[in-house]
Amino acid sequence: VMHQWQKRWDGELYWRSGIAFATSMEQGRAFLPWKAELTQTVTYQSETVLSLVTEVREQWGKTQCRLIKYGDVWHLPSGIPALPWEFLNEKNGKKHLKQKLYQQFQEMRQREDSHLPELTQKQFCKLCHIDQFARTEQGLEFYIPQRTLIQGQEGILTFFIPLDVNQTKSEKEPIQP
């Protein structure tokens, strides 16, 4: 993960910052250095599951910022990526998960101050990247990066599916395909 971001920061972002610096100097304006930061946090760990959340922040200028947040969950010790519906005690877990996430999105849309666009469930689930989730003690988190749904949107939309520890499927090794 870090290698991919380092490549972006040493390439595209570095060159864009150089151009911005030169432009500022030509126009006699102050240039604020650009910043890039990557943090990873363990959000859940058991004998059989490890969950990490990666947060990326790129800032250029005083106000322009790019925020990205995504989760990775693995079965231990095999290292096989986990799928979110594996943690649900539902017959058709994938379908159930998509319905629950879309329902939360629709509830967000209906709030008075919401400017979220109208999307079908299929469109929403594609933007939500349900395979890039995080496991926490309380449940599953899913993220939509800023400006994905609304131009100028600040912050990351977070959706949460609570897990009842007594009703979730066991966290044993995943079923092999």
Side-chain angles (χ1 to χ4, degrees):
V1 171
M2 180 59 185
H3 177 70
Q4 293 170 338
W5 288 105
Q6 189 70 42
K7 186 177 176 182
R8 172 180 161 71
W9 296 335
D10 287 344
E12 175 192 349
L13 201 63
Y14 176 78
W15 290 107
R16 285 180 40 213
S17 71
I19 293 168
F21 175 73
T23 302
S24 293
M25 296 308 287
E26 284 176 10
Q27 296 174 354
R29 292 184 293 125
F31 176 77
L32 294 173
W34 291 20
K35 298 176 187 176
E37 178 182 356
L38 180 137
T39 58
Q40 289 186 305
T41 307
V42 174
T43 58
Y44 182 82
Q45 186 170 7
S46 70
E47 290 182 19
T48 58
V49 173
L50 174 65
S51 175
L52 292 175
V53 168
T54 301
E55 293 184 63
V56 178
R57 179 184 178 91
E58 296 176 348
Q59 184 159 1
W60 48 97
K62 284 184 180 180
T63 58
Q64 294 182 338
C65 185
R66 178 181 185 202
L67 300 171
I68 298 171
K69 185 176 184 177
Y70 57 92
D72 289 300
V73 182
W74 296 279
H75 291 284
L76 299 175
S78 68
I80 296 173
L83 298 170
W85 46 90
E86 294 174 10
F87 297 96
L88 304 176
N89 191 20
E90 299 289 333
K91 194 169 192 166
N92 192 346
K94 186 174 183 178
K95 183 178 179 181
H96 174 77
L97 177 66
K98 287 180 176 184
Q99 289 171 343
K100 286 291 204 185
L101 290 170
Y102 186 65
Q103 179 182 352
Q104 284 185 31
F105 171 71
Q106 291 293 67
E107 289 168 3
M108 273 186 192
R109 273 193 75 242
Q110 293 173 2
R111 293 190 188 126
E112 286 182 34
D113 60 345
S114 173
H115 299 288
L116 295 172
E118 189 170 332
L119 299 173
T120 65
Q121 182 174 324
K122 185 176 182 178
Q123 290 170 322
F124 169 78
C125 288
K126 187 174 182 179
L127 292 172
C128 195
H129 300 285
I130 63 173
D131 58 334
Q132 295 180 347
F133 71 105
R135 168 80 160 93
T136 69
E137 290 289 336
Q138 297 78 29
L140 307 177
E141 290 185 352
F142 301 84
Y143 314 103
I144 296 181
Q146 72 178 28
R147 299 184 188 105
T148 300
L149 295 175
I150 304 169
Q151 189 67 18
Q153 166 203 337
E154 294 301 321
I156 297 167
L157 292 179
T158 301
F159 300 89
F160 182 75
I161 303 295
L163 294 178
D164 180 350
V165 179
N166 298 324
Q167 293 183 354
T168 59
K169 291 181 180 178
S170 67
E171 294 185 352
K172 295 187 177 170
E173 285 294 309
I175 299 169
Q176 299 296 324

